[in-house]
Amino acid sequence: MCPHCSSPCIRFGKSATGTQRYRCKKCRRTHSKSYSYHAYESGTDVSIKEHVKEGCGIRSIARLLKIATTTVLRRIVRISKAIMKPMITMGKDYELDEMCTYIKKKTNLRWIVYAIRKDNKEVVDFAVGCRTTRTLKLVTDTLILSNAHMVYTDKLRQYATLLPMAIHWTTQYGTNDIERKNLSLRIHLKRLCRRTICFSRTMCLLRACLAIYFWG
């Protein structure tokens, strides 16, 4: 049976190592029953996602799954590109906040800006970049287009210029949920820990890991 679509398969020659290969009658994809290199196994992508969410670094994942670090990097980016951003619900309450991290070295600071729904704590959108109005606007525009009923933020002055006064709220306990999620992010994603050597080398990889953690 095909590991991708569970359809019947037929024999399709042999690999360079002499292993019998099969091709699915429906999706036409080929596979083998066993592989000498673990990255070709069907459950590798699922295992990579689980390890990313549990805070494992790239080299940790490579050691646990017995695959190359470059393969882990490519798979993480490929998995993130296949993830669809969830549809945003109209007229909800949201919490918006930002947290600091760095790329490649500690002097190269970057900020993660994201918003969660206040009722179910789901992340609806995020952006990564410098702590500028342009980065914040990527998320605030999404909330405005969704006809947000109320948006709770801290007292960062840029929010007052980006969000309409009628829906913007900076009450003392309005961002409790997202502040707690900031702590969970730093615990579960090793690259976001305050004291770590598992930092992100590129913006692309940081965005990919966040997409897997939020929506994968």
Side-chain angles (χ1 to χ4, degrees):
M1 301 296 287
C2 177
H4 307 288
C5 64
S6 301
S7 299
C9 299
I10 59 174
R11 293 192 178 190
F12 192 70
K14 294 186 177 181
S15 65
T17 58
T19 304
Q20 180 66 53
R21 295 192 59 79
Y22 300 89
R23 185 172 69 178
C24 177
K25 293 182 178 179
K26 184 177 180 180
C27 66
R28 313 297 288 179
R29 298 174 71 174
T30 63
H31 68 279
S32 296
K33 289 185 177 180
S34 61
Y35 294 94
S36 58
Y37 185 47
H38 297 286
Y40 292 120
E41 296 177 356
S42 58
T44 301
D45 287 356
V46 176
S47 298
I48 289 175
K49 288 198 295 184
E50 291 175 350
H51 284 82
V52 168
K53 292 180 180 181
E54 290 301 322
C56 294
I58 300 300
R59 287 170 178 79
S60 299
I61 298 173
R63 287 194 299 269
L64 291 170
L65 300 183
K66 295 181 174 59
I67 59 180
T69 54
T70 53
T71 302
V72 176
L73 292 170
R74 287 197 303 267
R75 291 290 184 92
I76 288 175
V77 174
R78 190 182 73 181
I79 291 168
S80 67
K81 289 181 179 179
I83 295 174
M84 299 295 293
K85 184 163 60 172
M87 296 293 292
I88 190 167
T89 308
M90 308 294 282
K92 295 293 183 178
D93 293 343
Y94 299 97
E95 295 183 22
L96 179 62
D97 198 19
E98 69 285 338
M99 62 185 300
C100 181
T101 184
Y102 49 91
I103 301 293
K104 203 170 186 178
K105 55 184 179 179
K106 291 189 175 180
T107 56
N108 190 17
L109 294 177
R110 289 296 181 268
W111 293 82
I112 302 169
V113 184
Y114 69 104
I116 65 172
R117 277 178 54 176
K118 202 165 181 64
D119 54 353
N120 59 11
K121 315 301 185 295
E122 290 182 356
V123 176
V124 295
D125 198 9
F126 76 91
V128 182
C130 299
R131 198 181 192 186
T132 60
T133 303
R134 182 179 180 181
T135 304
L136 297 173
K137 196 172 186 295
L138 296 174
V139 181
T140 57
D141 284 353
T142 301
L143 302 182
I144 293 172
L145 290 174
S146 69
N147 294 326
H149 178 261
M150 194 66 69
V151 180
Y152 296 87
T153 71
D154 54 22
K155 295 184 179 181
L156 185 68
R157 64 176 182 268
Q158 284 90 334
Y159 289 131
T161 62
L162 294 173
L163 294 168
M165 188 181 299
I167 66 172
H168 187 207
W169 194 257
T170 57
T171 184
Q172 183 178 1
Y173 302 107
T175 58
N176 279 4
D177 293 327
I178 197 167
E179 292 289 355
R180 180 60 182 83
K181 196 167 186 67
N182 287 345
L183 178 59
S184 298
L185 272 171
R186 294 197 184 277
I187 292 173
H188 293 159
L189 292 183
K190 198 171 185 179
R191 66 191 61 248
L192 298 183
C193 292
R194 296 187 184 276
R195 294 184 179 181
T196 180
I197 60 173
C198 297
F199 50 84
S200 299
R201 302 273 179 156
T202 62
M203 292 275 286
C204 178
L205 186 61
L206 178 58
R207 290 192 184 99
C209 291
L210 288 171
I212 292 174
Y213 181 81
F214 290 146
W215 304 319

